[in-house]
Amino acid sequence: MEGKVKGQQPLLTPYKMGKFHLSHRVVLAPLTRQRSWNNVPQPHAILYYSQRATKGGLLITEATGVSDTAQGYAHTPGIWTKEQVEAWKPIVDAVHAKGSVFICQLWHVGRVSNRGFQPNGQAPISSTDKALTPQIRSNGFDVAEFSAPRRLRTDEIPQVVNDFRLAARNAMEAGFDGVEIHGAHGYLPDQFMKDQVNDRTDKYGGSLENRCRFPLELVEAVVNEIGADKVGIRLSPFGHHGQAGDSNPAGLGLYMVESLNKYSLLYCHMIEPRIRAAGELCECPHSLAPIRKAFNGTFIAAGGYVQEDGNNAVAEDRADLVAFGRWFLANPDLPKRFAVNAPLNKYNRETFYSPELVIGYTDYPFLEDVSYEP
């Protein structure tokens, strides 16, 4: 394993990801925080992201909308307007000033939306016209209502692909080091890939190859726009988020990574099979190992990881990098805490998505702020 030093935690060893020299393998996972008023990133995000930045670290932004039809949640950021691009710039600059690599996650929710989030109150777009049933929000009590989506016509799909391409160009303009296409968690690309959702009869539906056509067109367009060395993708073939499951998730995951190999992407970011839906850990017979083995490139694993199994995943070559969400949210100095085996701050789920600009956002204490005896 590259850079491994005897006795050193595998998560804290260096790694070369494409042209980027990472000093450790603890990645900030993309985390929706819903604090971007009118879909414009706000100055308070400068502190939030820079707190979690380290020299040679890798940070991935919260999911960031590619167009005005991409929205499905209040106060999530976008990157389709000049105002949004300008608002991201000081955030990116602050992360770079700390020496971190910063990736922008590009997002389209598809049918995980309602008319209230859509331009002119129109129906959300999707691969299908099948509606989602109401769901309890991630905070555990709010109920999300979804409008019946409108099935995209075959001739409309290139426009959505173009939205991702332009968003990637905008991310470069904002100063990001690259982009991650959000192909996971029941959002638009997943709505094409998963056979429980995709009921199309055109070239984007039916066979596995057809269902994967749209996400692969996204990859190709973004790669052609900004270069493969700046493009990653996130996938959750085993997930059931947004009522998007598949009858053969292992086959789907393998087909996707084998198809992605020809592009020589910066990385593939994959959700562990044990995560079926948000916050739902399950016993699962499946493993990412065959998919990891089939992918030629940097492999990031995510989903329910803690320090011990993150170290094991790297030591056993099941992943090159490990993304941490809730624990990195609550511990802005997570790599340092891992290094000295310090106790971790507990996260407060009630403030994950609240509009508070400090509480539950930038007020989690650093190690030097708490009394700690190693």
Side-chain angles (χ1 to χ4, degrees):
M1 184 177 66
E2 180 187 342
K4 188 165 184 204
V5 179
K6 193 169 189 258
Q8 193 172 12
Q9 293 182 53
L11 280 172
L12 302 178
T13 57
Y15 179 77
K16 188 170 186 292
M17 180 183 73
K19 64 184 179 187
F20 303 110
H21 293 270
L22 305 181
S23 64
H24 60 80
R25 302 171 187 238
V26 181
V27 179
L28 175 67
L31 296 165
T32 291
R33 302 309 312 270
Q34 295 187 245
R35 289 162 166 88
S36 299
W37 320 138
N38 301 314
N39 307 125
V40 178
Q42 298 295 307
H44 47 254
I46 296 171
L47 179 59
Y48 170 73
Y49 282 109
S50 63
Q51 281 181 333
R52 287 155 185 79
T54 51
K55 185 172 174 55
L58 173 60
L59 276 58
I60 306 171
T61 68
E62 60 208 279
T64 301
V66 299
S67 69
D68 59 358
T69 67
Q71 303 303 306
Y73 301 80
H75 309 308
T76 53
I79 195 158
W80 72 89
T81 71
K82 181 73 175 164
E83 181 186 11
Q84 291 163 339
V85 172
E86 292 303 315
W88 273 116
K89 286 180 178 179
I91 304 169
V92 175
D93 289 346
V95 169
H96 283 158
K98 297 283 281 288
S100 274
V101 177
F102 204 14
I103 302 291
C104 183
Q105 190 190 58
L106 304 183
W107 187 37
H108 196 302
V109 301
R111 69 173 184 168
V112 187
S113 187
N114 61 52
R115 289 175 180 268
F117 289 112
Q118 295 297 314
N120 307 313
Q122 67 192 38
I125 56 175
S126 181
S127 65
T128 182
D129 54 14
K130 292 185 292 189
L132 278 169
T133 55
Q135 291 177 311
I136 301 292
R137 288 275 192 206
S138 298
N139 63 18
F141 48 86
D142 288 339
V143 177
E145 300 281 350
F146 305 102
S147 304
R150 181 178 68 79
R151 185 193 309 270
L152 282 163
R153 297 191 316 270
T154 309
D155 66 338
E156 291 177 299
I157 290 174
Q159 178 56 51
V160 182
V161 174
N162 196 51
D163 289 339
F164 275 81
R165 181 184 68 82
L166 293 174
R169 178 195 288 180
N170 287 344
M172 294 297 98
E173 166 68 19
F176 284 104
D177 297 295
V179 301
E180 174 179 288
I181 296 167
H182 194 347
H185 295 164
Y187 298 120
L188 187 60
D190 218 19
Q191 291 160 33
F192 277 83
M193 282 185 271
K194 299 286 180 66
D195 61 10
Q196 285 182 12
V197 182
N198 187 333
D199 55 359
R200 303 178 71 90
T201 56
D202 63 0
K203 68 179 183 178
Y204 293 97
S207 68
L208 179 59
E209 293 78 6
N210 281 358
R211 286 183 281 116
C212 293
R213 188 183 307 276
F214 172 66
L216 292 171
E217 285 181 353
L218 295 181
V219 170
E220 183 151 313
V222 172
V223 163
N224 287 342
E225 182 65 33
I226 66 170
D229 60 339
K230 302 179 193 71
V231 181
I233 189 168
R234 197 178 214 211
L235 299 169
S236 60
F238 297 93
H240 287 254
H241 303 75
Q243 296 155 38
D246 195 80
S247 61
N248 181 10
L252 170 61
L254 268 177
Y255 177 80
M256 278 299 293
V257 295
E258 286 167 353
S259 301
L260 291 169
N261 280 338
K262 73 175 187 183
Y263 296 104
S264 301
L265 296 186
L266 181 62
Y267 66 76
C268 179
H269 185 180
M270 190 81 66
I271 308 299
E272 285 284 351
R274 63 190 174 193
I275 305 293
R276 282 176 60 85
E280 187 184 321
L281 270 171
C282 66
E283 290 294 318
C284 180
H286 296 291
S287 161
L288 290 182
I291 297 172
R292 148 68 160 172
K293 196 172 177 185
F295 183 67
N296 301 331
T298 295
F299 194 81
I300 307 177
Y305 273 98
V306 293
Q307 181 178 0
E308 183 181 12
D309 65 344
N311 276 315
N312 291 341
V314 175
E316 295 162 13
D317 205 31
R318 289 184 282 114
D320 298 305
L321 309 170
V322 179
F324 293 84
R326 294 161 297 174
W327 291 114
F328 216 151
L329 179 158
N331 296 273
D333 52 357
L334 189 65
K336 178 181 176 181
R337 287 175 186 260
F338 284 174
V340 297
N341 291 306
L344 300 183
N345 301 322
K346 290 185 168 57
Y347 51 83
N348 179 5
R349 195 177 290 277
E350 289 179 11
T351 57
F352 283 0
Y353 311 107
S354 64
E356 299 282 355
L357 304 189
V358 175
I359 297 167
Y361 191 56
T362 56
D363 67 341
Y364 282 105
F366 287 76
L367 205 48
E368 57 264 30
D369 302 332
V370 293
S371 57
Y372 159 64
E373 293 294 329

